[in-house]
Amino acid sequence: MHINTNYQNIAETYLFSEVARRLREFQAANPEAPVIKMGIGDVTRPICKSSVEAMKKAADEMGTAEGFHGYGPEQGYDFLKSAIASYYVKTSNVKLDLNEIFISDGAKSDIGNILDIFSDDNTVVVTDPVYPVYVDTNTMAGRKVTYLPSSEENGFVPMPNGTKGDIFYLCSPNNPTGSAYTRTQLKEWVDYANKTGAVIIYDAAYEAYISEDDVPHSIYECEGARTCAIELHSFSKNAGFTGLRLGYTVVPTDLEVEGVKLNGLWARRHGTKYN
């Protein structure tokens, strides 16, 4: 019997758990001190009434012989995927096939789960500072992780600049810096990935906050992105769904690695380990 020794290469506790522990200790020692919480990105307002009523209705249906339906489709219900596809057209003028949209229990889960379809000997590149899940999930698998500095010197939008890597994590708008790639900057990343044969894992969890015309809501607004990018989305920000676990991942049918379509690999993984 052997353990996965890669787990010994990460911190014993998750970053946000450590932040919460320190906060509890500080508040216990300083009960009168005002605290602005900037740790885990939780919401502070109740879930909207329409969502609550819809969930009640769905639960009631499952309690009747006529409404009970057991397991849902492996990749998610078409009514939800159709709504997501319509949202893409509305916000990005991007058209997606329903079989390219995979409903899941949140973007955070898929950040780690998507790695199942990639070999452990791939080199991963992340920006620094970075959402810790990108690093920890790859370290757990034994992958080499390298860093691209994100600082005032580069406007907090690091560019490829010849960086060698197989999987690049980009988050725009970024967590934690708040910076966002313009369409021109993101197109440069897309061109670089296609040129080098790399895959971009594009975290768009915060896209609902974009208001600038030159900042894309989706990486697929850039020509060529369908052959190099996987996009992750979460409802926890724009719908206040933290704790309810709902998100989705887009894997284009055009995306191939070594002649193998990643859409098919993800569909098989999703149907086996998630559904």
Side-chain angles (χ1 to χ4, degrees):
M1 170 63 70
H2 303 281
I3 65 167
N4 181 351
T5 57
N6 294 311
Y7 276 68
Q8 295 176 300
N9 296 323
I10 62 174
E12 189 171 330
T13 58
Y14 183 43
L15 173 64
F16 295 122
S17 299
E18 176 65 15
V19 170
R21 182 188 68 79
R22 295 189 188 189
L23 175 61
R24 288 193 301 270
E25 292 179 356
F26 177 83
Q27 288 182 307
N30 304 273
E32 304 301 322
V35 175
I36 299 175
K37 298 180 181 179
M38 299 183 68
I40 193 166
D42 206 353
V43 295
T44 58
R45 303 292 295 170
I47 299 167
C48 65
K49 184 176 180 180
S50 59
S51 295
V52 173
E53 293 303 319
M55 287 187 283
K56 288 180 178 178
K57 180 181 178 182
D60 288 340
E61 288 177 354
M62 292 291 280
T64 67
E66 297 78 17
F68 179 76
H69 45 74
Y71 286 120
E74 292 179 357
Q75 319 306 346
Y77 286 101
D78 280 352
F79 74 85
L80 178 53
K81 295 200 288 183
S82 294
I84 291 169
S86 297
Y87 180 78
Y88 265 81
V89 173
K90 179 181 178 180
T91 60
S92 307
N93 197 29
V94 169
K95 294 182 179 180
L96 298 174
D97 292 333
L98 295 193
N99 66 350
E100 297 177 319
I101 302 170
F102 299 83
I103 309 301
S104 71
D105 58 348
K108 180 179 179 180
S109 299
D110 279 353
I111 285 170
N113 293 337
I114 197 71
L115 298 173
D116 280 2
I117 66 175
F118 295 105
S119 171
D120 292 346
D121 62 3
N122 286 303
T123 296
V124 174
V125 180
V126 300
T127 59
D128 183 26
V130 65
Y131 182 40
V133 178
Y134 303 159
V135 177
D136 290 352
T137 51
N138 280 286
T139 302
M140 289 172 180
R143 293 188 184 87
K144 178 182 178 181
V145 179
T146 61
Y147 296 84
L148 275 178
S150 176
S151 63
E152 187 176 0
E153 284 70 24
N154 57 23
F156 298 99
V157 282
M159 301 304 293
N161 296 324
T163 303
K164 294 183 179 180
D166 302 301
I167 302 172
F168 288 85
Y169 280 83
L170 299 181
C171 180
S172 182
N174 185 268
N175 176 7
T177 68
S179 61
Y181 284 104
T182 65
R183 188 168 284 100
T184 299
Q185 291 168 332
L186 196 55
K187 181 63 165 64
E188 184 175 333
W189 269 107
V190 168
D191 291 343
Y192 184 76
N194 279 319
K195 179 182 178 181
T196 61
V199 171
I200 296 173
I201 306 296
Y202 190 73
D203 188 347
Y206 300 90
E207 67 81 23
Y209 299 122
I210 294 172
S211 58
E212 298 89 342
D213 291 336
D214 65 337
V215 175
H217 287 258
S218 167
I219 194 172
Y220 302 120
E221 293 181 40
C222 299
E223 183 180 357
R226 288 182 56 87
T227 57
C228 70
I230 294 172
E231 188 162 285
L232 308 172
H233 273 267
S234 168
F235 286 103
S236 68
K237 309 303 183 293
N238 60 341
F241 264 37
T242 58
L244 292 177
R245 306 309 309 161
L246 181 62
Y248 59 95
T249 291
V250 177
V251 184
T253 54
D254 300 340
L255 179 53
E256 296 184 7
V257 173
E258 297 178 325
V260 178
K261 290 185 178 294
L262 298 191
N263 180 279
L265 292 185
W266 183 236
R268 188 67 181 91
R269 192 272 177 207
H270 208 62
T272 300
K273 291 189 175 183
Y274 178 69
N275 81 331

